[in-house]
Amino acid sequence: MPYLNKFILEKVQDNFDKIEFNRMCWTLCVKKNLTKSPLLIVEEDAFKIWVIFNFLSEDKYPLIIVPEEIEYLLKKLTEAMGGGWQQEQFEDYKVNFDDGKEGLSAWELIELIGNGQFSKGMDRQTVSMAINEVFNELILDVLKQGYMMKKGHRRKNWTERWFVLKPNIISYYVSEDLKDRKGDIVLDGNCCVESLPDKDGKKCLFLIKCFDKTFEISASDKKKKQEWIQAIHSTIHLLKLGSPPPHKEARQRRKELRKKLLAEQEELERQMKELQAANENKQQELETVRKKLEEAASRAAEEEKKRLQTQVELQARFSSELEREKLIRQQMEEQVAQKSSELEQYLQRVRELEDMYLKLQEALEDERQARLDEETVRKLQARLLEEESSKRAELEKWHLEQQQAIATTEAEKQELEHQRTEKEQALQEAMAQLVQLELERKQALEQYEGVKKKLEMAANMTKSWKDKVAHHEGLIRLIEPGSKNPHLITNWGPAAFTQAELEEREKNWKGKKTTE
């Protein structure tokens, strides 16, 4: 049928009867295809349904009618029978429709209508009349039909005629059996229809003006008159625009809509596949990042373990040096006790030297504590710098992800806009953290300067004490401090915090980071 409609039937002459051609094709195929089960419709109605199927079917082989067109046809039949359309019943029918099946064949459609599933309570005659009405509209292009009175051109008498309105002509017959045609009113874009006032005892009059003739017609009531005037006016308007009949145009729009929906569905499936692939890639990237983070955490734990071990070793070494200093001090005190009887005149001098020694030891302890504080500050500043660089790298990464997200499809625009807002908020929070870290770094630098001055003062005091002791080195051998421990060093010099203060600052900083 698609081939016949496009390449043969549309090119035949005007006097070619397509209904007879369809009847010939029907005769060739009906016996071997029509079901033998009893139907509520006669063979003539089945033939009309078969012709309607050829009009509504899809333009591909094998011919089928899709559920949307089935619903359209069943609705028109229900309206023609004067019944109400039951959408829920049709939805149940579509649910039971085979998933692997795109539509119904002509014979399945005939069986569906013939078994009376969607025409319960209607007799055969009503169903036959509804099929005939839909057939006239869709196949014969009958836009409207009915009895009206027509005024003659010669005798000027009024005669009842059966009028049939088609896209370019109004034919009138003796009766509705269409056997005796009395004439035609050829319509074109120059025709017009006008309402007339009642006259000569006739009511509901209207006038059809054509190029060479004028027709006066009387409808049975005002409603029929208005319906006919509106139908003829719409037909003339379509002729001016060169548009096809309304049902053919509606059928084409439905096909184009189905094609558009199918294309949109395919595009949506393609986008879903792309999104799924992108999601899988993101999952792989996240898994890679997670593994790298775990490796970094393990390395950090190993470094922390080594640092703790080194700290323990340094503490042990410092304790041994303190013990050795105590031992030396005890030895010197014993020597002083042995010589106390001989050196009574120097007792006051020795006491002064001991006071000087205590002050020197306090100065050395202050110097050692200052160096420890300096190392603590340096560690803190190094960690702050490392976190600052990691924050900057994270900001650059977020900025790159934001640019990549903006470059994605427009269909994800709203979702990406939401993500961009969240990332900008996170970016602002990270910038605030960065500013806070900068402030803390400046504060640490100021503390470092204070500690450095303090260290210089302690060093000057130590030097002055050493000079004073140098005058008395012939009397007694001074106890010198042991070897200096490795000090905590930062990028700006010796640290100014103790280990306890450093741990307290680390705890506060981690608490702030967790809260943010």
Side-chain angles (χ1 to χ4, degrees):
M1 287 308 300
Y3 175 81
L4 291 174
N5 288 330
K6 185 174 181 180
F7 296 102
I8 296 179
L9 298 182
E10 291 183 358
K11 299 178 181 180
V12 297
Q13 300 298 324
D14 293 337
N15 58 0
F16 178 76
D17 192 347
K18 292 185 179 180
I19 299 300
E20 290 300 323
F21 176 77
N22 277 307
R23 194 173 296 278
M24 180 189 68
C25 296
W26 166 262
T27 304
L28 292 174
C29 63
V30 63
K31 291 184 178 180
K32 62 180 180 179
N33 290 304
L34 188 62
T35 179
K36 301 301 181 181
S37 59
L39 300 176
L40 298 178
I41 58 176
V42 297
E43 185 175 343
E44 180 64 20
D45 295 335
F47 164 70
K48 293 179 180 179
I49 295 173
W50 182 80
V51 177
I52 294 172
F53 168 84
N54 291 332
F55 173 72
L56 296 178
S57 60
E58 300 297 300
D59 292 336
K60 60 182 181 179
Y61 186 83
L63 291 183
I64 58 169
I65 180 170
V66 295
E68 292 81 3
E69 296 296 329
I70 296 173
E71 182 179 1
Y72 170 76
L73 176 58
L74 292 177
K75 277 185 178 179
K76 294 194 75 66
L77 289 174
T78 305
E79 292 173 0
M81 289 185 290
W85 173 246
Q86 299 178 355
Q87 185 67 33
E88 295 181 356
Q89 183 180 359
F90 185 76
E91 293 296 334
D92 294 339
Y93 172 75
K94 284 203 301 186
V95 169
N96 297 326
F97 205 74
D98 190 0
D99 293 336
K101 198 173 183 181
E102 297 181 1
L104 298 179
S105 65
W107 316 107
E108 291 172 337
L109 179 64
I110 293 172
E111 185 177 357
L112 175 65
I113 298 175
N115 60 20
Q117 181 178 353
F118 292 94
S119 60
K120 292 181 180 180
M122 300 294 178
D123 54 11
R124 287 190 174 186
Q125 185 177 1
T126 304
V127 176
S128 179
M129 291 175 63
I131 293 173
N132 184 63
E133 183 177 341
V134 176
F135 177 80
N136 290 336
E137 179 184 351
L138 299 182
I139 306 303
L140 301 182
D141 294 333
V142 176
L143 303 179
K144 190 169 181 60
Q145 57 185 352
Y147 282 107
M148 290 188 296
M149 302 294 292
K150 174 186 170 297
K151 185 177 181 179
H153 291 283
R154 295 179 182 178
R155 298 182 182 180
K156 305 300 180 181
N157 59 334
W158 291 87
T159 309
E160 186 179 46
R161 294 288 183 250
W162 177 264
F163 286 83
V164 177
L165 173 62
K166 292 188 177 182
N168 59 351
I169 193 172
I170 302 176
S171 301
Y172 48 94
Y173 302 82
V174 174
S175 62
E176 56 184 300
D177 58 7
L178 308 181
K179 292 182 179 180
D180 188 5
R181 184 166 65 179
K182 288 298 182 179
D184 297 317
I185 304 174
V186 181
L187 302 176
D188 56 27
N190 298 320
C191 296
C192 64
V193 56
E194 298 177 358
S195 177
L196 293 177
D198 299 343
K199 64 178 181 179
D200 300 334
K202 295 296 180 182
K203 297 181 179 181
C204 304
L205 297 175
F206 64 92
L207 185 68
I208 302 176
K209 290 183 179 181
C210 296
F211 177 72
D212 54 350
K213 287 185 180 182
T214 301
F215 300 86
E216 291 185 26
I217 301 173
S218 173
S220 59
D221 53 46
K222 291 183 179 180
K223 182 180 178 182
K224 292 289 182 62
K225 170 187 173 180
Q226 189 62 31
E227 289 177 353
W228 273 99
I229 291 175
Q230 184 64 34
I232 297 171
H233 180 74
S234 300
T235 303
I236 295 172
H237 181 68
L238 291 175
L239 289 173
K240 288 181 180 179
L241 298 177
S243 301
H247 61 276
K248 291 185 178 179
E249 187 176 3
R251 172 176 173 269
Q252 186 63 29
R253 286 199 302 267
R254 292 195 303 273
K255 285 191 175 182
E256 291 174 356
L257 180 60
R258 285 199 297 273
K259 289 181 181 179
K260 182 179 178 181
L261 292 176
L262 181 60
E264 291 178 353
Q265 184 177 1
E266 291 176 353
E267 179 65 18
L268 182 61
E269 291 178 355
R270 184 186 65 79
Q271 292 179 0
M272 289 297 293
K273 290 181 180 178
E274 291 179 356
L275 288 175
Q276 185 176 2
N279 188 22
E280 292 177 355
N281 293 333
K282 286 287 184 183
Q283 292 292 338
Q284 293 178 359
E285 292 176 0
L286 290 174
E287 185 66 22
T288 303
V289 171
R290 187 184 64 79
K291 291 181 179 179
K292 290 182 179 179
L293 289 175
E294 290 179 354
E295 293 175 357
S298 63
R299 289 196 298 269
E302 187 67 24
E303 291 177 358
E304 183 68 16
K305 184 178 179 181
K306 291 180 179 179
R307 187 186 65 80
L308 292 175
Q309 185 176 0
T310 304
Q311 185 177 2
V312 171
E313 292 176 356
L314 291 175
Q315 289 179 352
R317 187 183 301 174
F318 182 70
S319 299
S320 62
E321 289 180 356
L322 286 178
E323 291 294 334
R324 189 177 62 181
E325 289 178 0
K326 288 181 180 180
L327 182 60
I328 293 173
R329 184 176 177 180
Q330 290 176 0
Q331 292 176 357
M332 291 184 69
E333 289 178 353
E334 290 177 357
Q335 291 177 4
V336 170
Q338 291 176 2
K339 295 181 179 181
S340 59
S341 59
E342 299 176 358
L343 301 173
E344 292 178 357
Q345 67 273 19
Y346 297 113
L347 183 60
Q348 186 66 30
R349 200 68 171 172
V350 170
R351 290 176 181 174
E352 293 177 357
L353 290 174
E354 287 179 352
D355 293 335
M356 291 170 63
Y357 171 76
L358 292 175
K359 291 180 180 179
L360 177 61
Q361 189 175 15
E362 290 176 357
L364 289 175
E365 184 65 23
D366 291 338
E367 180 181 0
R368 185 180 65 81
Q369 186 63 39
R371 292 186 182 277
L372 290 175
D373 293 342
E374 181 184 13
E375 181 63 21
T376 303
V377 172
R378 287 182 180 178
K379 280 187 177 182
L380 179 60
Q381 290 178 343
R383 182 167 299 176
L384 291 176
L385 285 174
E386 182 179 359
E387 290 176 354
E388 180 180 355
S389 62
S390 65
K391 284 290 182 181
R392 291 183 183 277
E394 186 178 1
L395 290 175
E396 292 176 357
K397 180 180 178 182
W398 284 348
H399 183 65
L400 181 59
E401 289 179 353
Q402 184 181 14
Q403 291 180 347
Q404 292 176 353
I406 293 174
T408 55
T409 59
E410 284 297 325
E412 300 176 311
K413 186 175 181 181
Q414 295 181 355
E415 181 64 22
L416 293 176
E417 186 67 20
H418 180 66
Q419 293 180 2
R420 187 182 66 80
T421 304
E422 292 180 351
K423 289 183 179 180
E424 286 181 355
Q425 185 177 1
L427 181 62
Q428 293 176 0
E429 293 176 357
M431 290 295 292
Q433 292 180 4
L434 186 61
V435 171
Q436 183 66 26
L437 291 174
E438 187 70 17
L439 292 174
E440 291 180 1
R441 187 180 67 79
K442 290 180 179 180
Q443 293 176 0
L445 186 60
E446 292 175 358
Q447 293 177 359
Y448 164 73
E449 293 295 335
V451 171
K452 186 175 180 182
K453 291 179 180 179
K454 205 171 159 187
L455 181 62
E456 289 177 355
M457 292 175 61
N460 293 331
M461 291 178 63
T462 303
K463 184 176 180 181
S464 62
W465 284 112
K466 285 182 179 180
D467 291 336
K468 291 180 181 180
V469 173
H471 292 290
H472 306 283
E473 63 180 351
L475 299 177
I476 189 170
R477 181 184 176 189
L478 294 177
I479 300 175
E480 297 180 354
S483 62
K484 298 180 181 179
N485 295 325
H487 297 291
L488 302 176
I489 304 299
T490 65
N491 294 335
W492 295 275
F497 295 95
T498 63
Q499 184 66 26
E501 291 176 343
L502 178 60
E503 291 176 355
E504 183 65 22
R505 284 180 174 270
E506 286 181 349
K507 184 177 179 181
N508 294 336
W509 178 81
K510 289 181 179 179
K512 290 181 179 179
K513 185 175 180 182
T514 305
T515 305
E516 293 175 355

